[in-house]
């Protein structure tokens, strides 16, 4: 018989879980599994994706389908092992909404927690050592605020001024060179940016973090030019992955995460081949990562966008038998130590909760794109993390509760009409999301903007509007009401051009 331990008028019965005790806003318990059964029938389940790009939103448990078996290719962004099970499941935190709109939340305060919806109950499990849980029942706003506060106490939080960033990716993609960077730098003069960030394309290879032939003057020189322009030099790196053709992958087999057969574990496919994950418990691999980070800071970069970080937390065999998210945590702590306290570290493609307290900011959704939706990816393959603005908005919007403990980067906003398939309303929605998330970035080279668009960008970077939350998807921005539900449930006429 389950014992009713509704210590705080929880709206739920705790059917499994050790040592339940009162907390001023809910209940703490420990163990694995813990089972928390709402006293109501769940009408919605909050599914929190594992890493930056993973699907995060409220799903209807009756008709919303969990991720179903689809080719491995499209599982990118999902936590391996959880995406193929038949139940709705998420990482670290899950919640259900009742018919009266109240929300019951179950959230892990440690690294390896997973929450699924099983026969109407929230079931929390730790992958390895059992840790602590926080349970609360109340308004959506309140329970997530309380969970974030407890996560901040458990894992730390770093709040410092959020830089306004120009990033090269969403206009030039990997087609960058020194000349193009200097032209863009010239173009942003007079616009109120704080950081100028060079994205993917500067390096010789993934795992070979030296400037390629397109950057003949080297990275120190580029960083100096950026600093001389009054901006904080920013650089993209993917320090936890190595391409199969890189010298680390070919020469340092013992540094790689292994699968059950002892072969390098697959971490993904891109840049014309497969890439592997570094084993962050291996002392020499750690030394190498630290060295790469220290060097980019020595080059003069004070803002690092560190990408594809999930690789450090993939399941596999490691030099030291540590839980995978603990290995990740020790890897990012090493990165922080190498980068120094004053370097702004932005995590991308990163497990969300395990990154809290170490990074200054984190990407909270998949990549935006100059189009609204990618029908092939989202509709037919159920690969919601393919670049598309609609799901970038949806996922980011459902992660804004993290803002008190880590900067939430919803990705760039667009101001350009050139190379643009988003209509003006869709572009406005993306800018409003940046205002609500309080993270402002764009990739538009000022040379692509007409005077009016440049003016809009300048005003956007300068303003600090008063933002009020009016509902799950409704906000007032300086008194102007914005409704993001058009992205969550777009009316047919709103869907706009597709790929
Ligand atoms: C650079 C880019 C940008 C971007 C990042 C990340 O294959 N994939 O699934 C895939 C996902 C995301 C992605 C690239 C590929 O984008 O989010 O801002 O830095 O890397 O390569």
């Amino acid at each position: 018989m389950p014992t009713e331990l509704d210590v705080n008028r929880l709206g739920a019965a705790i059917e499994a879980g050790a040592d339940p005790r009162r907390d001023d806003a809910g209940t703490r318990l420990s163990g694995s599994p813990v089972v928390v059964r709402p006293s109501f029938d769940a009408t919605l389940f909050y599914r929190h994706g594992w890493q930056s790009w993973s699907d995060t939103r409220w799903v209807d448990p009756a008709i919303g389908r969990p991720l179903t078996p689809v080719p491995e290719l499209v599982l990118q962004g999902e936590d391996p092992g959880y995406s193929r099970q038949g139940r709705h499941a998420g990482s670290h935190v899950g919640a259900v909404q009742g018919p009266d709109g109240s929300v019951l939340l179950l959230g892990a305060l440690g690294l390896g927690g997973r929450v699924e919806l099983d026969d109407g109950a929230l079931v929390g499990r730790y992958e390895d050592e059992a840790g602590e849980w926080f349970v609360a029942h109340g308004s959506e706003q309140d329970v997530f605020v309380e969970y974030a506060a407890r996560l901040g106490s458990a894992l730390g939080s770093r709040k410092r001024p959020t830089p306004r960033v120009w990033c090269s990716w969403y206009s030039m993609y990997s087609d960058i060179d020194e000349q193009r960077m200097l032209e863009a730098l010239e173009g942003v003069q007079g616009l109120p940016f704080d950081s100028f960030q060079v994205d993917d394309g500067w390096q010789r290879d993934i795992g070979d973090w030296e400037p390629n032939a397109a950057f003949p003057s080297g990275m120190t020189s580029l960083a100096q030019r950026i600093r001389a322009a009054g901006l904080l030099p920013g650089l993209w790196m993917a320090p936890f992955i190595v391409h199969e053709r890189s010298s680390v992958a070919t020469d340092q087999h013992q540094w790689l995460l292994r699968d059950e057969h002892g072969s390098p574990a697959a971490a993904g496919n891109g840049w014309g081949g497969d890439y592997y994950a570094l084993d962050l418990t291996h002392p020499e691999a750690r030394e190498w990562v630290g060295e790469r980070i220290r060097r980019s800071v020595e080059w003069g970069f004070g803002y690092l966008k560190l990408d594809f970080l999930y690789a450090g937390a993939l399941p596999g065999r490691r030099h030291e038998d540590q839980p995978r998210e603990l290995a990740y945590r020790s890897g990012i702590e090493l990165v922080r130590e190498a980068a120094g306290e004053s370097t702004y570290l932005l995590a991308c493609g990163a497990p969300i909760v395990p990154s809290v307290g170490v990074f200054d900011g984190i990407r909270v959704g998949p990549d935006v794109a100059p189009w609204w939706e990618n029908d092939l990816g989202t509709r037919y393959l159920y690969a919601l993390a393919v670049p598309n603005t609609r799901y970038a908005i949806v996922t980011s919007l459902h992660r804004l509760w993290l803002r008190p403990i880590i900067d939430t980067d919803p990705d760039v906003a667009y101001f350009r009409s050139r190379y643009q398939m988003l209509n003006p309303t869709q572009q406005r929605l993306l800018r409003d999301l940046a205002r609500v998330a309080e993270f402002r970035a764009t990739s538009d080279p000022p040379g692509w903007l007409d005077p009016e668009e440049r003016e809009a960008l300048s005003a956007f970077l300068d303003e600090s509007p008063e933002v009020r939350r009016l509902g799950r998807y409704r906000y007032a921005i300086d008194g102007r009401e914005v409704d993001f539900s058009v992205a969550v449930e777009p009316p047919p006429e709103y869907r706009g051009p597709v790929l």
Side-chain angles (χ1 to χ4, degrees):
M1 269 303 281
T3 0
E4 282 255 341
L5 284 170
D6 197 353
V7 281
N8 266 351
R9 273 173 270 113
L10 211 47
I14 294 169
E15 296 181 355
D19 189 23
R21 56 216 177 272
R22 244 172 196 286
D23 171 295
D24 58 16
T27 298
R28 296 281 191 113
L29 67 159
S30 20
S32 177
V34 298
V35 178
V36 183
R37 184 172 299 283
S39 56
F40 49 79
D41 285 334
T43 57
L44 291 173
F45 172 67
Y46 175 82
R47 191 248 190 223
H48 184 252
W50 183 47
Q51 53 110 320
S52 304
W53 306 323
S54 334
D55 186 24
T56 298
R57 65 207 155 94
W58 288 95
V59 294
D60 181 337
I63 60 168
R65 63 179 165 148
L67 293 179
T68 46
V70 279
E72 198 66 47
L73 161 78
V74 299
L75 288 176
Q76 191 132 23
E78 284 306 322
D79 190 6
Y82 293 87
S83 42
R84 288 169 182 276
Q85 62 184 24
R87 286 187 289 277
H88 288 286
S91 284
H92 299 94
V93 55
V96 283
Q97 177 174 298
D100 65 353
S102 68
V103 169
L104 175 72
L105 172 146
L106 172 65
L109 300 175
L111 298 180
R114 299 292 183 274
V115 178
E116 62 180 40
L117 183 65
D118 189 0
D119 187 28
L122 290 170
V123 179
R125 282 195 184 81
Y126 273 94
E127 271 198 3
D128 299 280
E129 298 111 62
E132 281 232 30
W133 299 92
F134 174 68
V135 189
H137 178 234
S139 73
E140 176 186 15
Q141 174 79 348
D142 289 350
V143 296
F144 278 94
V145 162
E146 298 295 340
Y147 175 54
R150 278 152 192 79
L151 261 188
S153 318
L155 299 174
S157 65
R158 309 172 53 90
K159 283 303 272 188
R160 46 182 287 199
T162 311
R164 297 163 292 182
V165 184
W166 189 86
C167 151
S168 59
W169 184 253
Y170 300 87
S171 50
M172 302 175 186
Y173 296 96
S174 54
D175 189 17
I176 54 173
D177 58 40
E178 197 170 290
Q179 198 47 41
R180 282 192 105 179
M181 288 298 95
L182 293 176
E183 274 163 28
L185 182 62
E186 176 74 35
V188 303
Q189 286 305 291
L191 288 167
F193 284 106
D194 302 302
S195 180
F196 183 91
Q197 184 244 315
V198 178
D199 213 282
D200 186 1
W202 64 272
Q203 74 283 356
R204 284 205 202 134
D205 210 338
I206 301 300
D208 186 357
W209 304 106
E210 299 288 342
N212 59 37
F215 290 81
S217 314
M219 302 316 278
T220 305
S221 153
L222 183 57
Q224 277 168 356
R225 300 285 293 264
I226 298 170
R227 236 176 245 276
L231 294 162
L232 179 67
L235 191 66
W236 176 94
M237 272 176 87
F240 295 167
I241 56 171
V242 292
H243 201 275
E244 58 177 335
R245 66 183 167 234
S246 70
S247 59
V248 170
T250 53
D251 304 344
Q252 307 291 349
H253 282 254
Q254 69 288 1
W255 296 5
L256 306 179
L257 179 73
R258 308 253 143 206
D259 64 18
E260 67 273 26
H261 310 293
S263 309
N269 184 276
W271 300 277
D274 290 336
Y275 49 86
Y276 304 130
L278 286 177
D279 173 356
L280 299 173
T281 71
H282 194 286
E284 288 169 18
R286 291 173 64 84
E287 182 58 36
W288 182 87
V289 167
E291 197 47 51
R292 297 296 152 301
I293 299 291
R294 260 191 302 280
R295 215 175 31 149
S296 49
V297 173
E298 280 160 20
W299 284 339
F301 292 91
Y303 174 106
L304 300 180
K305 173 179 174 183
L306 303 179
D307 206 352
F308 291 83
L309 296 180
Y310 68 86
L314 288 174
R317 281 207 222 137
R318 291 182 166 78
H319 176 73
E320 275 180 44
D321 186 23
Q322 283 179 16
R324 59 194 180 109
E325 282 165 316
L326 196 63
Y328 172 78
R329 186 81 178 174
S330 78
I332 62 173
E333 279 167 353
L334 139 85
V335 163
R336 167 55 75 190
E337 206 182 302
E341 283 299 311
S342 62
T343 302
Y344 188 97
L345 293 180
L346 179 73
C348 189
I352 301 288
V353 167
S355 301
V356 166
V358 174
F359 285 93
D360 300 287
I362 190 163
R363 259 282 289 289
V364 285
D367 290 19
V368 298
W371 54 81
W372 182 243
E373 187 141 32
N374 178 329
D375 268 15
L376 174 65
T378 62
R379 203 164 290 260
Y380 302 114
L381 298 177
Y382 209 62
L384 307 184
V386 295
N388 76 110
T389 293
R390 180 157 100 78
Y391 273 102
I393 293 176
V394 171
T395 288
S396 295
L397 205 53
H398 288 91
R399 293 232 181 89
L400 296 179
W401 56 268
L402 286 154
R403 263 181 46 235
I405 52 171
I406 190 165
D407 286 351
T408 50
D409 169 15
D411 213 358
V412 302
Y414 293 97
F415 293 82
R416 67 192 202 224
S417 41
R418 202 160 153 183
Y419 308 123
Q420 185 58 270
M421 292 191 286
L422 293 172
N423 68 36
T425 319
Q426 294 163 340
Q427 280 195 55
R428 234 178 347 257
L429 210 59
L430 200 48
R431 294 177 206 175
D432 281 332
L433 177 65
R435 292 179 171 110
V436 172
E438 294 185 283
F439 195 106
R440 289 149 211 267
T442 191
S443 284
D444 294 347
W448 290 12
L449 304 178
D450 67 29
E452 213 173 286
E453 291 164 351
R454 185 184 166 101
E455 188 40 48
L457 169 59
S458 183
F460 167 82
L461 294 171
D462 248 337
E463 72 198 11
S464 39
E466 191 220 343
V467 174
R468 269 185 313 126
R469 189 179 192 264
L470 305 175
R472 179 168 292 162
Y473 303 129
R474 284 189 314 123
Y475 289 83
I477 303 176
D478 270 345
R480 174 175 56 91
E481 200 176 314
V482 178
D483 191 344
F484 293 100
S485 41
V486 288
V488 184
E489 295 296 344
E493 73 280 7
Y494 197 83
R495 294 195 42 249
V498 292
L499 249 198

